[in-house]
Amino acid sequence: MASSQPSDSSRHSSTVTPPRVAVIGAGLSGLTLARFLTETGFPVKVFDKGRSPAGRMSTRRGDGGTYDHGAQYFTARDPGFQRMVRTWVERGIAAEWRGRFGSLEDGTVTPGSEDPVRYVGVPGMSAVAQGLASGVDVRCGVRVEHVRREGAAWALASDAGEALGTFEVVVAAVPAPQAVPLLSGAPGLAARAAGVVMEPCWAVMMELEAPVPLPLDGVFVQGSPLSWAARDSSKPGRSAGERWVLHAAPEFTREHLEEAPEAVAPLLVEAFSRAARLELRPREAVAHRWRYARAEPPLTEGALFDAERGLGACGDWCAGSRVEGAWLSGVALSRKIALLQR
Ligand SMILES: Cc1cc2nc3c(=O)[nH]c(=O)nc-3n(C[C@H](O)[C@H](O)[C@H](O)COP(=O)(O)OP(=O)(O)OC[C@H]3O[C@@H](n4cnc5c(N)ncnc54)[C@H](O)[C@@H]3O)c2cc1C
């Protein structure tokens, strides 16, 4: 672990040449930041351990079609984010989900009132991240394990020991607990990240032969191991079929955190059957564990940045635990880093 600071001369030179920036994490926050800085003229490289960008906005393919097994939809309250979402809609990578929403408890369905406008990626949630990633230097399938001081820069290395290059600025755009070791060169930032608790969430992707006879497409489930169930195939641009995503409540997830997905899937299918008072026999039911789903509670800073050391962090845990928060956080940090060029 090194914490030496850049020399005065290196700080001066960074005002002339844009600093090289590494972004660890190709979720919405990292991609938003990387795209903004790339367009502003910074040399930016993004690394992600996943097979493709999107993080918690991923879309997964099952036997019967695709599922958004992480983020279900997003809303837009901030005017800047509303403008961004409008451009995604115009490009055809997002659309309104005009589903029927409400709550479900013990077989009783209550339709929602005053629903917000809900957006989804098209043809899957990950389309938004893929749209942001185009034109950005993104390398997937590499887990960054070390961020070490090397002269006036930071040297990155993967868990396989591969040297990934040196950068004047490094951003951890990953869930808070995963950011802690990457921020060890800036102990103040690492401590802020270490104080954030992120709740896990078990998700189940379930395909059925016939439509589930519920008059809703998205339900907040009460009094159940589940918190949410959605007819994923009702979202715009999805292939035909009857596919649902179930999300477990935090208490259930914590209790079953280390169990095998094969053991968890039937428990949550059964919980949904009970809540809806229906006999459900899915053709396919696959569970996925999100170890760090949402910050409870998130920070309010927007983003963390140590300009002297050139280390920063962004993500939904800095600004609201939602897709909109992740975007706002990426924008907030990109503005701070852009100041280094002036
Ligand atoms: C089950 C679930 C349901 C949700 N529902 C909603 C919803 O309905 N509406 C809503 O607005 N939000 C929802 N969210 C939250 C939303 O998904 C997140 O707010 C948003 O996607 C976070 O983006 P991010 O960029 O901050 O982080 P992430 O999307 O988590 O991106 C971080 C990326 O970093 C990568 N990474 C981590 N460590 C490393 C490393 N060492 N090296 C390389 N790469 C690394 C990961 O692979 C990942 O791609 C939900 C989340 C979950 C899990």
Side-chain angles (χ1 to χ4, degrees):
M1 189 205 320
S3 59
S4 61
Q5 295 176 11
S7 66
D8 282 338
S9 63
S10 72
R11 239 180 280 147
H12 175 72
S13 71
S14 74
T15 62
V16 179
T17 315
R20 291 163 295 170
V21 181
V23 180
I24 307 167
L28 192 72
S29 66
L31 289 172
T32 297
L33 167 97
R35 193 176 179 94
F36 179 89
L37 290 178
T38 301
E39 285 171 353
T40 316
F42 284 75
V44 182
K45 273 196 173 169
V46 184
F47 300 98
D48 199 289
K49 65 184 169 67
R51 261 179 293 168
S52 50
R56 281 172 279 158
M57 287 181 81
S58 293
T59 301
R60 197 155 132 178
R61 180 160 289 283
D63 289 344
T66 61
Y67 300 88
D68 298 333
H69 58 319
Q72 296 296 288
Y73 60 83
F74 50 92
T75 51
R77 296 180 174 85
D78 173 84
F81 189 55
Q82 285 174 347
R83 279 195 296 278
M84 185 77 252
V85 173
R86 266 201 299 277
T87 69
W88 294 342
V89 171
E90 280 160 19
R91 287 172 60 193
I93 57 173
E96 252 184 69
W97 181 17
R98 298 207 175 104
R100 302 157 296 169
F101 301 93
S103 62
L104 172 68
E105 182 164 17
D106 264 341
T108 304
V109 165
T110 311
S113 55
E114 285 197 37
D115 272 337
V117 178
R118 294 174 165 95
Y119 296 95
V120 293
V122 175
M125 196 56 105
S126 62
V128 172
Q130 277 153 13
L132 279 171
S134 80
V136 175
D137 184 348
V138 183
R139 182 173 161 197
C140 287
V142 58
R143 180 195 292 267
V144 180
E145 191 157 284
H146 300 291
V147 179
R148 293 197 182 106
R149 202 73 195 166
E150 202 174 279
W154 297 101
L156 267 56
S158 75
D159 58 351
E162 185 193 352
L164 301 171
T166 53
F167 305 87
E168 283 76 34
V169 175
V170 175
V171 172
V174 303
Q178 294 173 321
V180 176
L182 302 173
L183 294 171
S184 62
L189 302 194
R192 291 292 287 146
V196 176
V197 174
M198 294 195 71
E199 292 280 7
C201 177
W202 271 113
V204 168
M205 295 155 271
M206 160 171 107
E207 193 215 352
L208 299 109
E209 235 155 76
V212 173
L214 266 187
L216 297 176
D217 303 309
V219 287
F220 297 94
V221 190
Q222 325 278 342
S224 159
L226 292 176
S227 60
W228 166 259
R231 199 186 311 261
D232 206 61
S233 45
S234 73
K235 293 177 177 178
R238 270 58 176 177
S239 58
E242 183 72 1
R243 295 180 303 282
W244 284 72
V245 169
L246 313 176
H247 282 165
E251 309 79 57
F252 174 95
T253 302
R254 279 196 299 271
E255 210 173 297
H256 298 268
L257 193 61
E258 302 305 337
E259 282 175 31
E262 302 73 36
V264 170
L267 297 179
L268 292 178
V269 171
E270 168 60 20
F272 188 46
S273 302
R274 254 184 288 121
R277 300 257 176 90
L278 293 167
E279 281 269 318
L280 298 175
R281 296 199 196 290
R283 262 205 294 235
E284 167 186 61
V286 176
H288 174 89
R289 180 186 57 200
W290 295 99
R291 194 176 277 282
Y292 305 116
R294 280 165 206 263
E296 290 294 343
L299 302 178
T300 51
E301 280 98 320
L304 307 179
F305 190 46
D306 182 331
E308 287 294 305
R309 293 183 165 98
L311 278 183
C314 62
D316 62 342
W317 55 276
C318 296
S321 272
R322 292 184 295 120
V323 167
E324 180 169 16
W327 185 84
L328 287 169
S329 180
V331 170
L333 187 53
S334 66
R335 289 197 177 125
K336 289 177 201 272
I337 295 173
L339 292 176
L340 298 178
Q341 206 181 7
R342 304 245 164 91

